[in-house]
Amino acid sequence: MDKKLSIMVVDDEMIIRESFLHWFEKYGHVVGTASSGAEALEKLETFPFEVLFVDIKMPGMDGIELLERVKADYPDTIVIIITAYGSIETAVKAMKMGAADYLLKPFKPEQLSLVMEKVSYQKKLASRYKYLKGRLEQVTRFDNIIGQSPAMEKIFSLIPDIALSDSSILLTGETGTGKELVAKAIHAKSRRANLPFIAINCGAVPDSLLGSELFGHQKGAFTGATHSRKGYLEVVSGGTLFLDEIGEISPKMQIDLLRVLEEKKITKIGNSQPIEVDFRLISATRQDLEKKIADGSFREDFFYRINVIKTEIPPLRDRREDIPYLIQHFLEKYSQETTKRVDHVSVHAIKLLKQYDWPGNVRELENAIERAVVLSKSRTLEIKDFSFLQPPTVPFSRTRSLLEMEQEHIRQILEECTWNVTKAAGVLNINRVTLHKKIKRYNLKGKT
Amino acid sequence: MDSKKQTIGILPFGEIPEIVPKIIAGNIIAYLNLLAEIIPPAENPDYALNGKRLQYDAGTILMNLESSCLNNYEKVIGILDVDLFVPIFSHVFGEAKQGGKYALVSLFRLKTNPDGSAIPSSIFYERGAKVALHELGHLYNLFHCEDKRCLMHFSGGLEDLDETPLYFCRYCTAFFKDALLR
């Protein structure tokens, strides 16, 4: 047993709990005790005990019921049953329900030692399995897109089909919806899967640099070009080029790219020799490109070139049923990365997270879970761990009337002043009678 | 009596061979470089006899020792010729609370082989010394050691005990020295 374990002994007899405690202390293990099943479950909420020694016969919740609850809520926790002579049948039942082993009281010291060796071996296997599973998940990137909602199911069924063709794809959707993940999944399922996948955020690269990044340049082509450089369109050779925020590129760059898509040839900056290129283009945008075409800031011919297959990634608020799966995924990811054992989110917290509007979509949810995991002092995330989430604000809209704006503003101030009319009237700089009249006129009511 | 602060007291209970405490004290002096002194015998701890198990409860004896007035000793090892148990185990060769002051050694199961056959007295004495030094290790906060060639390795049975050497591995030696300095 080279690793120190965290062990909880659950027995209604204090003398038994203390015996175990003193014994495990001699190995340097972290030991906790509980005198009942209910107390054990309570302690598990706050501390991730790896091994539980559970007495079968206890008043209230017996060992079998506790085993059932632990296996349902904390399947990785190893449970050893302690039993007395005459209750072997129950011990066998416990083994069938997932107990790792059982000990008949009183046992020889070497028997406990053997059980602990077995536990240690089991922990080692489990950690190896977890590592390999993580590696496998990284390889099969398709699994990184989480969701079981009809909207996501539709995308999942679409990916293999569109991956087989070589047509340009336009992914639309709000920021943080996972457009790049979908692009990667399409690439991973395509015949180009073994070739490069290069992602460029067009919005993050100044237009003057984007040309050089995409097409490459010859040495001396411009001031500062001290070396010849291959562009991404050449480097991607045979693979997939993902251009995020395509709506941000200049009309000139649209023409240059349009030519590349039509001729499949590029010319490096400062060189007249064309080079043949082969790549599949996936573009993404959060903007309404058709609107941009209408106002003249986006070329129609380029739009039709990049928009052969259009796929819209739904915002998170339109697929709230996926939120629990995403929470679980990010919880596993960050408890592994931070080595903090946080493996639960309370029912109330899940309800809150499902109600929240997630303007930043999956990315915002991921950041929220990461922050909560890092700061949490318990293994279960509660509502208080997400207190940093801002309540949804009413978006500014040019189509709203002055009356609607006034009504909303008064409501907000009243909420902030916890419906203290005198205080709210002071903030609004109107008298109390006027505010009462407005409350009545707009039929405003406080939350009950 | 400051000079006795670093002294280990060896406390015989009831009738035990006189030579056993002397051998244990000798090993403590020789191997651990500590002082050891044999304390006048205490009565057999009949108060700790469990009628059902017909064994003596090690926890009860240790608790009783906690209230004794053996303040002149840094640690005390009680030597008994009765069968000791702790509630979860069928028996124990020795018992000590991690980082505590008092430890117990039971000679009861050390006198013969597991099959009941007789053993040379030298092996019996060596077993007693091993259990005593192992328990003393716990009193100085040493944990059970992974290394089978270390006195702090857990010995479940007599075969294991006989294979265990009468010295600590280099890590446990370092920990022990460190504990003495604190």
Side-chain angles (χ1 to χ4, degrees), chain B residues 13-30:
Chain B
F13 277 90
E15 299 271 318
I16 62 161
E18 238 179 81
I19 193 168
V20 174
K22 285 182 184 168
I23 288 172
I24 290 173
N27 277 288
I28 289 170
I29 295 165

Side-chain angles (χ1 to χ4, degrees), chain A residues 62 83 196 201 258 286 295 311 319 357 391 447:
Chain A
D62 68 4
T83 181
N201 185 343
L258 180 64
R286 59 190 158 97
D295 68 25
T311 304
R319 51 182 187 108
D357 263 351
K447 284 175 192 164

Side-chain angles (χ1 to χ4, degrees), chain B residues 25-168:
Chain B
N27 277 288
I28 289 170
I29 295 165
Y31 286 114
L32 303 181
N33 202 20
L34 294 170
L35 295 173
E37 193 177 289
I38 298 164
I39 304 167
E43 280 182 17
N44 202 51
D46 294 335
Y47 55 86
L49 179 68
N50 182 302
K52 269 188 189 171
R53 295 181 61 150
L54 296 177
Q55 288 173 299
Y56 289 73
D57 187 339
T60 307
I61 304 170
L62 285 176
M63 212 189 298
N64 199 266
L65 279 174
E66 295 283 347
S67 56
S68 67
C69 303
L70 297 166
N71 299 331
N72 293 337
Y73 303 96
E74 184 70 16
K75 310 282 182 191
V76 176
I77 304 173
I79 317 288
L80 304 96
D81 198 8
V82 296
D83 198 13
L84 290 180
F85 78 96
V86 294
I88 55 170
F89 291 139
S90 53
H91 67 276
V92 286
F93 295 147
E95 178 64 356
K97 198 177 160 194
Q98 194 71 11
K101 179 171 175 176
Y102 300 95
L104 298 175
V105 175
S106 161
L107 305 175
F108 188 81
R109 292 179 188 245
L110 307 182
K111 289 182 239 172
T112 55
N113 279 323
D115 59 7
S117 57
I119 53 160
S121 52
S122 59
I123 293 181
F124 166 59
Y125 299 146
E126 193 177 316
R127 284 176 181 174
K130 281 176 184 176
V131 177
L133 266 65
H134 176 96
E135 298 305 332
L136 188 60
H138 285 312
L139 296 184
Y140 279 101
N141 237 332
L142 262 64
F143 295 128
H144 281 159
C145 180
E146 277 294 291
D147 191 345
K148 285 188 173 176
R149 294 155 303 168
C150 174
L151 185 56
M152 288 315 290
H153 184 75
F154 165 68
S155 305
L158 288 170
E159 292 95 334
D160 291 342
L161 186 61
D162 289 339
E163 279 172 25
T164 303
L166 194 46
Y167 49 82
F168 298 136

Side-chain angles (χ1 to χ4, degrees), chain A residues 64 86-87 217 324 360 398 430:
Chain A
I64 294 290
S87 49
H217 59 254
R398 290 183 194 281
I430 54 175

